[in-house]
Amino acid sequence: MPFIEIKGVSYVYPLREGVSLKAVKNLTLSIEAGEFVALTGMNGSGKSTLAKLLNGLFKPTEGEILIDGISTADEERIFDIRRRVGMVFQNPDNQTVATLIEDDVAFGPENLGLPRDEIIKRVDFALQAVGMSEYRKRDAAKLSGGQKQRVAIAGVLAMRPDVLILDEATSMLDPAGREEVMGVVRKLVDQGITVINITHNMEEAALAKRVVVLRKGRLAIDGTPSQVFSSSLLESCGLTLPPAAALAKELKDSGIDIGTVTTEESFAEGICKLLK
Amino acid sequence: MQAVEIKNLSFVYSKGTPNEKLALDNIDLSIEEGSFVALIGATGSGKSTLIQHLNGLIKPQDKKHSSVIVGGKNAADKKTLKTLRFEVGMVFQYPEYQLFADTVEKDVAFGPKNMKLPADEVSRRVKRALETVGLDYNEFAERSPFDLSGGEKRRVAIAGVIAMEPKILVLDEPVAGLDPAGRAELLALIKKLQKEVSPTVILVSHNMDDVAALADRVVALKDGRIVADGAPRDVFSHRAFIMHIGLDLPTAARLVDKLEKKGITLSKRIITMAELKDALLSIFKKRAKKRGNNMGYAQINAVTDGNKNADENVEECDGASPVDEKAKGDESSPVSDEKAEGDGAKDENDSGSAGGGEDV
């Protein structure tokens, strides 16, 4: 059985009297444990709504979402769901609750009522996993954006989650910060955590093993980065190829076919092969 | 005429405390009217502090030695401060967070009203501003800005700034957080704003592709100092230096370096994807011709659109060369660089030099 099962899910936002917005429409999708999935689509396509549905912040208006067999609508298990599915949001400045970094990371485990030893163990583990151990006694407000997001990830890891959801967690960072965070994410994927990265940066999406594209609340494309990048539907989803992939496509139109390119490295290799 | 003239500008945050930080260190910067300047540098390099001096949000700390003259006005002068703020339009990061009125019309009208313009002029400007940013006046004027999509909100916020018809437009990371379609639209809009509303544009950006595509001058800051200043093509061509100051390259330049590692040498002055495409097409064209000639070895002069040539070399591809990225800079291909440099490559569409040859 897949770890995450989304079965015929719709979600409707009540806007005001008599007006509502259907943000997710009859979505069916499953994700196996350990997958690294990029969830993408233009603004308003339903990505963030789906993320909030996955950890029970929102309950499906129709359909059902199962996390390891537990329904997100099951009120009695909601804290279990939230522990298992951790989220990191967009704004690095809105996600710290404590002054000291180690206190911030300890916040979750403390709320679980864990014994002190266990909390310390988890904080050590989490800070090490994101490469922030040496900063543990520092002031969280003085960190760079990338460091703040790594601390936010550590806060989630301290809960020993099964799934990490990043909701545009890099979109407010500079390129160096983005790289820092994605470096940590790749490491976590290698360690077996299921990661869902919500992004409209297509270069970042290409780092995942699977890319799921939403369009107006519906599933539009689902496949490997190279399948998604070669899909004719991409444009209608309001997405553009990363620059190297776009150039490969233009070259193809000019009669030079280097295959589907997902990364800059594969672009260089493709050119090279043809010139050999 | 100079739109901006900054002399000896330094700025220290939290002066006299243990957290004291030198944000700007003796900056001299003149910006010619009508230019499109990209301000780049890592987070914390002083970009935001610098632009906040332009409309007096931050005043020079050392009034004796520093001066900030914008549009002929001293930014430290209280008497002209209000006028200055109308002349320098600031679009901060995530400007949609600053929307406040209950209709789009009122929000965009806020600036021109503060300028004490007559009512019909205010309404003319609101209409023009909304139309310039691509929002239909009749459709949007009465709507609440808070019910709009993210991209629309941002355009309303920008309309609020350009409704003051500022001579200088300063944009801090204007496309951050937008989806690809929204980004492309907004970048095109900025170019249009320069033509139609604000002749001088200062863009703060981390995206070197945008910088390469839009700016005619790039100013790089590091630790509060100006460390590079020139045409994007010149600045980005100094690879070793760019790496040293911790800046990124445009995608096209990065691809040129990746190809070089594999033995395909292209000009280091290529900064846009269009230029890279031309350069590659020209290599493939040469290759096809050569195949036809059945030559075993050739050093070929490439001619791109008849305006440029350079000796370029394609070595064996699979010999994944073990060149250390850090160890190489401009010096690794001085020939192609110098050749291209002679042409000045001022034209945006002007492709860098390219060509091909091979050892078989």
Side-chain angles (χ1 to χ4, degrees):
Chain A
M1 193 178 70
F3 193 80
I4 299 175
E5 274 191 281
I6 302 164
K7 300 199 276 192
V9 167
S10 297
Y11 184 79
V12 177
Y13 284 99
L15 286 182
R16 51 184 180 269
E17 199 75 345
V19 187
S20 61
L21 175 78
K22 201 166 189 177
V24 173
K25 295 166 192 158
N26 195 19
L27 188 69
T28 298
L29 187 69
S30 50
I31 294 171
E32 302 288 340
E35 270 197 273
F36 179 13
V37 179
L39 182 60
T40 184
M42 61 191 288
N43 292 339
S45 61
K47 309 183 296 285
S48 294
T49 307
L50 179 58
K52 288 174 183 134
L53 284 162
L54 286 175
N55 81 342
L57 280 173
F58 295 164
K59 307 274 181 284
T61 313
E62 285 164 45
E64 186 182 39
I65 296 180
L66 299 177
I67 306 292
D68 199 13
I70 311 165
S71 166
T72 58
D74 184 345
E75 282 299 336
E76 281 171 20
R77 307 290 298 276
I78 191 68
F79 287 103
D80 199 19
I81 299 270
R82 297 227 174 116
R83 187 194 61 74
R84 282 159 172 264
V85 183
M87 279 184 78
V88 173
F89 296 95
Q90 184 177 38
N91 194 330
D93 295 322
N94 293 347
Q95 293 176 79
T96 35
V97 291
T99 315
L100 283 191
I101 284 159
E102 60 176 5
D103 292 348
D104 191 71
V105 177
F107 181 78
E110 276 170 354
N111 278 321
L112 294 178
L114 294 172
R116 186 183 147 79
D117 291 355
E118 175 65 15
I119 293 176
I120 293 172
K121 226 168 75 188
R122 288 192 177 198
V123 170
D124 287 348
F125 156 81
L127 283 173
Q128 196 178 355
V130 301
M132 291 292 290
S133 299
E134 56 188 297
Y135 292 83
R136 58 186 307 151
K137 298 282 183 199
R138 301 265 194 99
D139 179 353
K142 296 237 167 72
L143 300 179
S144 72
Q147 289 172 332
K148 281 178 187 164
Q149 290 301 61
R150 277 152 70 196
V151 170
I153 293 174
V156 170
L157 292 179
M159 301 294 277
R160 296 273 154 92
D162 299 306
V163 182
L164 172 65
I165 301 180
L166 303 153
D167 190 357
E168 295 188 33
T170 63
S171 71
M172 290 177 83
L173 305 180
D174 63 16
R178 182 186 290 270
E179 228 159 83
E180 263 175 54
V181 169
M182 290 316 290
V184 167
V185 167
R186 233 174 296 173
K187 218 174 81 190
L188 295 175
V189 169
D190 289 344
Q191 289 166 7
I193 292 186
T194 310
V195 174
I196 300 174
N197 185 27
I198 299 176
T199 179
H200 37 228
N201 180 312
M202 297 307 276
E203 277 152 308
E204 206 176 294
L207 299 174
K209 304 243 162 48
R210 174 179 172 194
V211 180
V212 172
V213 184
L214 296 185
R215 181 171 171 264
K216 295 184 178 164
R218 293 179 202 276
L219 182 67
I221 322 174
D222 181 358
T224 62
S226 98
Q227 284 167 340
V228 170
F229 286 179
S230 52
S231 165
S232 56
L233 293 171
L234 200 64
E235 207 172 313
S236 73
C237 295
L239 298 176
T240 49
L241 292 170
L247 180 54
K249 198 165 167 250
E250 283 181 38
L251 287 175
K252 192 179 174 182
D253 294 341
S254 308
I256 296 160
D257 188 358
I258 60 168
T260 301
V261 160
T262 56
T263 62
E264 291 175 9
E265 200 51 46
S266 64
F267 178 90
E269 272 160 23
I271 292 289
C272 213
K273 262 187 205 140
L274 275 193
L275 282 177
K276 215 157 86 175
Chain B
M1 198 187 134
Q2 302 299 334
V4 175
E5 268 195 287
I6 297 174
K7 286 207 179 96
N8 302 322
L9 181 64
S10 294
F11 192 84
V12 183
Y13 280 107
S14 311
K15 213 172 188 172
T17 76
N19 294 325
E20 184 172 302
K21 187 181 184 284
L22 182 63
L24 294 178
D25 187 2
N26 211 10
I27 299 275
D28 284 309
L29 177 67
S30 297
I31 294 174
E32 184 128 358
E33 207 176 86
S35 55
F36 195 126
V37 177
L39 200 54
I40 63 175
T43 308
S45 59
K47 307 184 299 285
S48 297
T49 311
L50 180 60
I51 60 172
Q52 287 178 73
H53 277 89
L54 296 178
N55 72 345
L57 282 174
I58 300 180
K59 307 242 168 41
Q61 279 175 331
D62 183 350
K63 293 197 176 73
K64 264 190 199 146
H65 300 100
S66 314
S67 74
V68 177
I69 311 287
V70 181
K73 294 180 185 67
N74 190 327
D77 187 348
K78 273 188 186 156
K79 277 175 273 171
T80 50
L81 188 58
K82 217 169 176 183
T83 340
L84 179 70
R85 294 223 168 124
F86 299 139
E87 285 176 17
V88 183
M90 287 271 183
V91 178
F92 290 106
Q93 272 187 52
Y94 295 87
E96 59 275 22
Y97 293 167
Q98 294 166 42
L99 296 171
F100 66 98
D102 56 0
T103 68
V104 167
E105 160 121 55
K106 283 184 200 163
D107 208 297
V108 177
F110 182 76
K113 268 191 179 158
N114 275 331
M115 297 172 80
K116 307 241 175 349
L117 296 169
D120 55 339
E121 173 66 7
V122 171
S123 97
R124 181 194 72 81
R125 287 190 176 205
V126 170
K127 279 186 189 136
R128 179 175 179 224
L130 282 173
E131 260 144 46
T132 310
V133 300
L135 297 173
D136 183 66
Y137 175 81
N138 294 323
E139 190 191 334
F140 284 90
E142 290 308 315
R143 287 175 67 181
S144 161
F146 301 101
D147 287 347
L148 306 178
S149 78
E152 287 165 351
K153 275 186 200 165
R154 191 163 298 185
R155 278 188 275 167
V156 170
I158 293 174
V161 172
I162 62 169
M164 294 185 285
E165 305 190 347
K167 293 192 184 112
I168 301 172
L169 185 63
V170 184
L171 305 124
D172 190 356
E173 286 282 348
V175 297
L178 294 182
D179 61 30
R183 284 178 64 89
E185 275 173 28
L186 189 49
L187 290 170
L189 171 63
I190 292 169
K191 203 76 196 167
K192 181 173 144 194
L193 291 179
Q194 186 187 22
K195 230 185 241 161
E196 296 178 6
V197 187
S198 310
T200 309
V201 176
I202 300 171
L203 171 76
V204 175
S205 178
H206 287 301
N207 186 314
M208 298 306 136
D209 287 358
D210 298 348
V211 170
L214 293 171
D216 35 50
R217 176 178 169 196
V218 42
V219 174
L221 289 181
K222 183 181 166 70
D223 301 329
R225 291 165 189 251
I226 293 177
V227 289
D229 184 353
R233 198 181 301 287
D234 293 324
V235 171
F236 290 128
S237 71
H238 297 108
R239 299 289 206 272
F241 179 71
I242 289 283
M243 197 156 317
H244 170 68
I245 59 174
L247 283 176
D248 288 293
L249 288 171
T251 306
R254 220 166 33 235
L255 287 172
V256 164
D257 288 357
K258 284 199 158 74
L259 288 167
E260 186 182 52
K261 270 194 182 173
K262 294 182 184 299
I264 302 165
T265 308
L266 299 169
S267 167
K268 289 249 186 323
R269 295 177 64 77
I270 291 175
I271 55 171
T272 69
M273 296 304 270
E275 291 163 4
L276 179 59
K277 182 185 172 186
D278 285 348
L280 287 170
L281 284 179
S282 131
I283 286 189
F284 281 106
K285 223 183 274 169
K286 292 290 155 200
R287 170 60 55 96
K289 221 182 259 172
K290 187 164 39 152
R291 285 260 156 87
N293 292 346
N294 196 22
M295 286 167 70
Y297 171 85
Q299 181 74 266
I300 289 183
N301 282 334
V303 180
T304 310
D305 302 326
N307 58 10
K308 233 176 235 151
N309 62 53
D311 296 328
E312 308 273 4
N313 199 6
V314 178
E315 293 155 25
E316 258 184 72
C317 271
D318 50 351
S321 60
V323 189
D324 178 11
E325 197 147 329
K326 289 203 176 85
K328 44 171 234 189
D330 308 318
E331 58 280 359
S332 57
S333 65
V335 180
S336 59
D337 263 14
E338 276 162 29
K339 287 238 173 184
E341 225 137 13
D343 288 300
K346 273 177 201 144
D347 186 345
E348 203 70 72
N349 301 319
D350 201 354
S351 80
S353 56
E358 69 177 330
D359 298 304
V360 178

